[in-house]
Amino acid sequence: MPKFAAGVVRFQRDIYPQKAELFTKLSTGQSPEALFITCSDSRIELGMLTQSEPGDLFVVRNAGNIVPPHSNSSGATTAAIEFAVTGLGVQHIVICGHTDCGAMKGAVAPDKLDAMPHVRDWLGYSRAAVEIVNAVGGDLNDHDRMLLLLEQNVVLQLNHLKTHPAVAVAMAKGVMTLHGWVYDIADGEIYALDEATGQFTTVSKRYAAQVAKYMDHPPHG
């Protein structure tokens, strides 16, 4: 804890004064552009990864970056999605998986999770992705099978996301865009789903036109 307490002191002393205007604005409300659903893994630091500021992202984190299909049962992830879309009007939702994901390792070996029954049950929401890999990934090595699982899990959770009424309505109105990402921790690369092809390619390639436009005309303030 001393490390984190010292970090708070440095934030209050060095960072907050430089961004006092931003925090004054944020103290009266939020209007994030995107909902970011990612894994609880401690190695994922969204501010660093996306170079975003406080207030830019509404974040949901859980084991395996999972979105349960919509049902009449309430849950934290479902409630957060509903609030982000209906209450905050986010325009984008990103589901981001990552390499060396402990949740996905557990999903392929649920028999080893007897000591963590809640984790085992939660990872049932990834079962279809596991079954796809088992069906089509038999000739792949362990590394490529896991990469395929990470990608298929992101695709599966995007499909689950579309069952949520708030998301379905926003998409029908044309005011919502969904994104699927996989973050490679070792090399810092992020691969984004191109839904037209079903393939994952680098963010720099997938969003080349948008990035170029943003770089040429960055927002002010």
Side-chain angles (χ1 to χ4, degrees), residues 106-183:
V108 299
D111 55 306
K112 297 181 180 180
L113 297 176
D114 289 345
M116 295 182 283
H118 293 290
V119 173
R120 182 185 57 217
D121 291 348
W122 176 252
L123 294 178
Y125 291 120
S126 293
R127 179 178 172 182
V130 174
E131 295 292 342
I132 289 172
V133 174
N134 288 339
V136 304
D139 295 333
L140 300 176
N141 60 40
D142 289 345
H143 175 272
D144 290 344
R145 279 175 62 86
M146 180 53 65
L147 179 58
L148 179 61
L149 176 58
L150 296 173
E151 294 175 347
Q152 288 299 318
N153 184 57
V154 167
V155 172
L156 176 62
Q157 306 314 322
L158 286 171
N159 288 333
H160 290 172
L161 190 56
K162 294 173 185 177
T163 69
H164 289 248
V167 175
V169 169
M171 292 184 68
K173 290 181 176 179
V175 296
M176 169 71 64
T177 305
L178 306 184
H179 309 263
W181 290 5
V182 173
Y183 169 43

Side-chain angles (χ1 to χ4, degrees), residues 37-58:
I37 301 173
T38 192
C39 190
S40 298
D41 195 291
S42 63
R43 295 166 292 182
I44 300 175
E45 171 39 55
L46 292 180
M48 182 183 297
L49 189 60
T50 64
Q51 291 296 286
S52 55
E53 293 277 13
D56 288 343
L57 299 176
F58 192 79

Side-chain angles (χ1 to χ4, degrees), residues 2-12:
K3 173 182 178 179
F4 306 125
V8 171
V9 171
R10 286 194 297 270
F11 165 76
Q12 294 170 333

